[in-house]
Amino acid sequence: MSETAVMSQKLSERITNMSTSATLAMAAKARELRGEGKDIIGLSLGEPDFNTPDFIKNAAIKAINDDYNSYTPVDGYVELKEAVITKFKRDNNLNYTLPQIVVSTGAKQSLANIAAVLLDKGDEVILPCPYWVSYSDIVKLNDGVPVEVKTAIETDFKMTASQLEAAITPRTKMIWFSSPCNPSGSLYSTEELNALAKVILKYPNIYVVSDEIYEHINYTGKPHASMAGIAGMFDRTITVNGVSKAFAMTGWRIGYIGAPDWIARACNKMQGQITSGANCIAQRAVIEALNASPSTVKYMIDEFNLRRDLILGLLNDIEGFKTNTPEGAFYVFPDVSFFFGKTFRGRTINNASDFSLYLLEEALVATVTGDAFGNPNCIRISYAASQEQIIEAIKRIKEALSNL
Ligand code: PMP
Ligand code: GLU
């Protein structure tokens, strides 16, 4: 190849500066090692290990047989947007209208749309730490500046109103957070959201992205609290949700937003130029999912709850793991800094990334470093795995750590 041809192989700064999704990278690494014959237990990916419920699968089969095959409206079929409206009303007491709903190819695309339509160069986005892995890179990709607000395990990794107020500057455009939180499993109560809203409402140009994709995976028995339902916040909040987690539909790729209509319109315009409407068969199936009562998926939540108790009990039995008690989602986010500085076969564990790699190589258990979520002292362990796998994984981890 000529020198000019080699020189022309230059990727954009945009992609060069972007990190690879740590969750997906670890899942790919685990897959690769399994391909080499290694018996890896995957606790890295946030993906329910259940099958999609039959009533949803049957709706997809019917849609194929009914010849759904054309492009859909960019923002989704009207029947699906109506089902989203029904869901928001039924589960969250939120009154969205059709122009306020945009259906996308996963909540990840919903988030990418929001960043693209609201951020100008240098606009700041407040991210309570730990945050979901892709927030920071989606913000940076759109020339925004992530502003991390550190939270502590002792306060259940939640941002207080005074921390929020201290992080606000004239460039603050949005606050992004998930509740239940990926990776900490924390939930914001109505009172806690009220306190944050009181601060936000002092600033007329700040918007909230409330990522509620784990809404149904809530072990508290208390109703889920939505930021858009707090007095004064409906017009200031973009509610992001999707079917990946609650309905075990990660690969179907459907997410959606309820938003002020000027923002929804802009997301629709953005999506129209980059991907068009989401997959038509998946959309037809999701109409059934959202119109059904959330009690149809309660069996999965009950099982996640058992697994949470199981894994917490097992982890707390190992010296050096410090955990909070997750109230939702399917992750634990233990502080593992106790192990930093320890060595094995001449290698020193200096940080959470080294620790996670150590677990992969020595215990054959895949986890994700907390670095990717903005907290370098923790690792994320997903308990979306069978009880047998969880027991075996923690046994292996305990054994591997006894060598340090
Ligand atoms: N938000 C959070 C907090 C998540 O954990 C995920 C996981 N995939 C997403 C958004 C994106 O979900 P999806 O694109 O599968 O709808
Ligand atoms: N949200 C999941 C996780 O955090 C899926 C992976 C991804 O989309 O990054 O593991």
Side-chain angles (χ1 to χ4, degrees), residues 106-108 111 132 135 178 182 211 213-214 244-245 253 331:
K108 210 179 246 180
L111 291 162
W132 180 48
Y135 289 174
S178 58
N182 178 0
D211 182 344
I213 196 161
Y214 295 95
S244 284
K245 314 296 171 174
R253 311 304 305 127
Y331 309 103

Side-chain angles (χ1 to χ4, degrees), residues 21 23-24 44-46 108 132-134 182 214 245 331 380:
S21 162
T23 48
L24 300 184
S44 57
L45 201 56
K108 210 179 246 180
W132 180 48
V133 70
S134 293
N182 178 0
Y214 295 95
K245 314 296 171 174
Y331 309 103
R380 191 189 76 173

Side-chain angles (χ1 to χ4, degrees), residues 16 50 107 109 143 151 194 223 252 289 294 301 320 346 362 364 373 387:
T16 310
F50 294 97
Q109 187 183 22
D143 292 333
T151 65
N194 258 317
W252 296 64
I301 319 302
E362 300 297 331
L364 304 183
F373 305 88
Q387 297 196 29

